[in-house]
Amino acid sequence: MTRHTAVLGRVLFLATLLMLPATITALEPVIVLGGGGGATWFDEPGSSAAFAPYTELSGTIGNRGLLGGDGYYAASLFGGLRYYGGDIEEFEDEQLLSLELGTPFGGLELEAEAALSSSFYNLARGVFLVPEWRLELTPDAWDRSLTPRGIYFGSYRFEEEAITDRLVQGARLGVEAEPSIRFAWYADLLAAYERFPDQEIGPGGDVRQDGRFSIVLGADGLIGFFTGWELENESGLRLSNAQQPDLDRLFSELDGTLRFSPLQEVGLEIGASIREEYYLNRDALADDGSSTGDPLRETSFSALISADYTPNGALYFVLEGGAGRSFSRDPAFEGWSSTLSLQLEYSF
Amino acid sequence: MKLRSCLTLLFLFLVTATASSVDQDISTLLDRSEFDAQSVSAVRELFSEADSAGVPRELLLPRLQEGIAKGVPSHRILNALEEDLGTLLSARSVMEGVSGGRRILADSARWARAANFLAAGRTEEELRQVAAAASSRPESFRQATVLYVSLLEWGLETGDVVEIVAAAVDSRLEPEEFSGIPELFALGRRQRLRPERMVSRLIAALPRADSLRELRSMIVE
């Protein structure tokens, strides 16, 4: 780094600090410890079906605060340790650090988010680190009418034992509106560049690079007072310079969530997702590796249901079940998984 | 001066027209009903009693309309009307004891809302507390009672709920946005935030938020 860039960095840092509101009011923190167990069943391409019971411990500490004006910040740290028995007999760890800042910024409202997911021993990936970042700008004085917004996002996935390392840089431009307190929607155009540094596509050392272009439509709302829902669809095109195999494809994904808490003691959440991928220049292969003559398509479904009960707002009993399945004419793209768990969580 | 006189005359005309329209509605309803003469007389007497007590007739009219439309026997309609009148008077009595209560009562829909609050089983003390909390912004009274009932039925303590209602009324949130506050508790619950901590966060953030969306970002998302 040259002296000039170091000075420029300091100036920008100080300018940012000066622009941030001066007063900070910390809100009540949240500290949660949890423990429990469950089991997972799965059958993924290239492996035989497996059953693995597990036990786990986890903890979360989170803090939020108000900045002068209408700004806020949030920080949270999650850590978990899981032991798989059955066919696996291994430990796995997981951490997630997330930071968030919302503040007026030159007549606009700025939301900045950064997160770091990590594991020092992940069963499938070894060490992995995934930093993510996101900036969103909207007009500061929002009156719920149709309003433009812009989002920049990025991430880097580092995986020690896999070749799926990936840098993502992207942007979304769109509009949002909240016609009533019970219904809001948004529509964005998304463009992202993805680079896979581990995946060389030819003898010249070129690596795989993809472009993702899509339309994102979403809505959320409120039914009654304690039931919320969210729905999002992203449909678009992925173009890649990888030719062996050809990865160009159309895709569409629909995600939905329904949350319901009729009483303080009870909570229920149901999430479901469906994804369709249609490869433009690639045939599905049969078991023996020969072409079936049909274009490769993959359809995936997943669902998660979580129910919890708390007698006192501090101790929670959480029962979760989930299942996912992929269908394709190509057996390498077929698989299923399911999981069931029971957790005890205590909020301090 | 001329303009003021004209406006006064217009106001008196509108009041008289509205009152005579309600009277007309009552007469039409009673004519169409299968009430005997004694019941018709009793209903008219009850409406006169409401007049004497200063209770607007239109606050009792919906009950009469509903009862006759459903073919409810006259004695049951009379009982219901008497109960409604009693509740409206109780609500007024409570509101008159609250600073700013008369401003809430000035709108007959809000008066009806206060009576419905009592009729739904809430106590006079609760009405007094909600009215006091909403007195600085009378137009938010209906939404304040809805917020109060929803949070209480969800399981929060009365004291906490009154504090939240008062903070919501004093905030820059539009009254329509109050109905989004209960879901914030459901979202806080997902993060295992204890209810008392959530109350504390709300009380701290409500004075600063310009909208429900901003409030949500500040405390739970």
Side-chain angles (χ1 to χ4, degrees):
Chain A
M1 187 190 297
T2 66
R3 187 166 175 274
H4 290 307
T5 51
V7 170
L8 182 63
R10 281 179 202 161
V11 169
L12 285 174
F13 178 70
L14 286 172
T16 307
L17 281 182
L18 287 172
M19 276 188 280
L20 292 177
T23 55
I24 295 176
T25 307
L27 297 175
E28 294 277 349
V30 59
I31 301 170
V32 182
L33 290 181
T40 180
W41 300 260
F42 57 89
D43 183 4
E44 290 171 347
S47 67
S48 54
F51 166 74
Y54 63 81
T55 55
E56 65 183 348
L57 290 172
S58 65
T60 304
I61 179 163
N63 190 24
R64 297 185 82 88
L66 304 176
L67 305 173
D70 50 7
Y72 65 93
Y73 72 89
S76 73
L77 177 64
F78 165 85
L81 187 64
R82 181 179 283 193
Y83 175 75
Y84 285 100
D87 300 336
I88 297 176
E89 296 191 338
E90 295 272 11
F91 278 99
E92 185 177 74
D93 69 309
E94 183 184 2
Q95 302 82 37
L96 174 64
L97 169 68
S98 64
L99 304 167
E100 196 182 332
L101 174 74
T103 182
F105 190 82
L108 298 169
E109 183 72 27
L110 168 72
E111 269 184 35
E113 293 173 20
L116 176 65
S117 312
S118 62
S119 175
F120 296 97
Y121 189 78
N122 180 273
L123 292 179
R125 306 169 194 154
V127 175
F128 84 82
L129 292 169
V130 185
E132 295 173 274
W133 53 92
R134 181 177 188 273
L135 288 174
E136 178 172 349
L137 282 170
T138 49
D140 188 24
W142 191 54
D143 60 0
R144 306 217 301 259
S145 59
L146 197 64
T147 306
R149 68 174 185 174
I151 299 169
Y152 157 71
F153 62 91
S155 64
Y156 188 82
R157 171 181 288 267
F158 166 77
E159 297 186 358
E160 184 188 33
E161 292 180 7
I163 56 162
T164 48
D165 286 14
R166 172 164 57 169
L167 169 73
V168 179
Q169 299 274 21
R172 288 167 63 162
L173 285 175
V175 291
E176 60 182 330
E178 196 176 288
S180 87
I181 195 66
R182 300 191 171 275
F183 179 69
W185 63 270
Y186 56 87
D188 294 333
L189 291 174
L190 182 151
Y193 164 75
E194 300 184 10
R195 188 170 191 276
F196 299 77
D198 291 341
Q199 298 182 32
E200 290 190 3
I201 58 166
D206 288 345
V207 296
R208 177 183 159 193
Q209 297 175 77
D210 290 7
R212 179 174 139 215
F213 309 94
S214 61
I215 295 173
V216 186
L217 300 172
D220 57 73
L222 191 59
I223 305 165
F225 296 104
F226 296 99
T227 305
W229 59 270
E230 287 158 18
L231 210 54
E232 184 178 274
N233 173 255
E234 181 185 355
S235 298
L237 172 68
R238 173 179 288 273
L239 295 174
S240 176
N241 64 349
Q243 301 296 320
Q244 295 295 331
D246 193 295
L247 297 173
D248 293 353
R249 57 193 187 264
L250 295 168
F251 65 90
S252 183
E253 180 168 332
L254 179 67
D255 300 299
T257 308
L258 181 73
R259 298 180 304 274
F260 178 49
S261 173
L263 296 168
Q264 193 184 132
E265 290 82 6
V266 183
L268 180 70
E269 185 165 333
I270 300 169
S273 175
I274 177 170
R275 182 177 176 88
E276 174 78 19
E277 299 204 67
Y278 184 90
Y279 287 74
L280 299 174
N281 307 303
R282 183 174 172 185
D283 287 347
L285 301 180
D287 276 330
D288 61 3
S290 62
S291 171
T292 60
D294 293 322
L296 176 59
R297 290 177 65 172
E298 183 184 6
T299 306
S300 316
F301 299 92
S302 67
L304 181 72
I305 182 163
S306 169
D308 63 62
Y309 168 77
T310 173
N312 54 13
L315 180 64
Y316 284 81
F317 300 88
V318 187
L319 182 64
E320 278 187 359
R325 173 129 203 208
S326 298
F327 298 92
S328 175
R329 291 204 169 180
D330 189 329
F333 287 81
E334 288 213 303
W336 58 264
S337 67
S338 57
T339 179
L340 185 68
S341 71
L342 180 63
Q343 297 278 332
L344 275 181
E345 294 176 354
Y346 190 83
S347 174
F348 292 89
Chain B
M1 195 64 186
K2 219 175 201 175
L3 179 66
R4 185 179 292 177
S5 306
C6 287
L7 287 174
T8 309
L9 281 172
L10 180 64
F11 175 73
L12 287 172
F13 169 76
L14 288 174
V15 168
T16 315
T18 308
S20 55
S21 160
V22 173
D23 291 344
Q24 186 64 47
D25 286 348
I26 292 167
S27 297
T28 311
L29 275 170
L30 291 174
D31 290 345
R32 283 185 194 160
S33 74
E34 294 174 358
F35 287 10
D36 56 29
Q38 195 182 353
S39 299
V40 169
S41 165
V43 169
R44 290 193 183 283
E45 201 173 310
L46 189 129
F47 273 90
S48 299
E49 196 183 322
D51 290 342
S52 315
V55 176
R57 288 184 162 210
E58 67 262 27
L59 294 184
L60 295 169
L61 186 61
R63 179 74 72 189
L64 183 63
Q65 286 170 324
E66 185 191 357
I68 290 174
K70 289 181 177 171
V72 177
S74 58
H75 70 276
R76 282 179 53 198
I77 295 179
L78 263 167
N79 285 344
L81 285 169
E82 278 166 12
E83 272 180 31
D84 283 358
L85 181 57
T87 319
L88 284 161
L89 291 171
S90 300
R92 183 174 68 185
S93 165
V94 170
M95 304 293 261
E96 284 179 342
V98 174
S99 169
R102 283 179 190 278
R103 286 174 59 213
I104 295 173
L105 280 182
D107 179 274
S108 58
R110 296 201 291 258
W111 188 349
R113 177 67 202 167
N116 286 341
F117 186 80
L118 292 177
R122 315 271 31 138
T123 66
E124 292 189 359
E125 177 54 28
E126 287 179 295
L127 178 59
R128 189 172 292 113
Q129 288 181 323
V130 178
S135 61
S136 62
R137 196 157 39 139
E139 69 275 16
S140 69
F141 175 70
R142 187 181 67 78
Q143 291 85 355
T145 58
V146 171
L147 177 60
Y148 177 88
V149 172
S150 59
L151 290 179
L152 210 62
E153 289 185 349
W154 191 64
L156 292 184
E157 301 288 330
T158 307
D160 289 338
V161 175
V162 170
E163 214 177 336
I164 291 165
V165 170
V169 169
D170 291 337
S171 74
R172 293 189 293 275
L173 261 58
E174 292 172 16
E176 290 70 32
E177 292 183 298
F178 293 1
S179 59
I181 292 176
E183 202 222 359
L184 301 183
F185 279 89
L187 291 172
R189 191 184 177 288
R190 273 174 83 210
Q191 298 174 11
R192 307 298 181 238
L193 199 57
R194 285 186 173 214
E196 62 269 24
R197 292 182 188 270
M198 190 63 193
V199 171
S200 157
R201 282 190 177 189
L202 257 179
I203 301 298
L206 268 166
R208 301 181 186 222
D210 289 322
S211 66
L212 181 68
R213 185 168 88 150
E214 212 169 86
L215 182 67
R216 187 187 296 127
S217 298
M218 284 177 175
I219 63 175
V220 282
E221 281 187 347

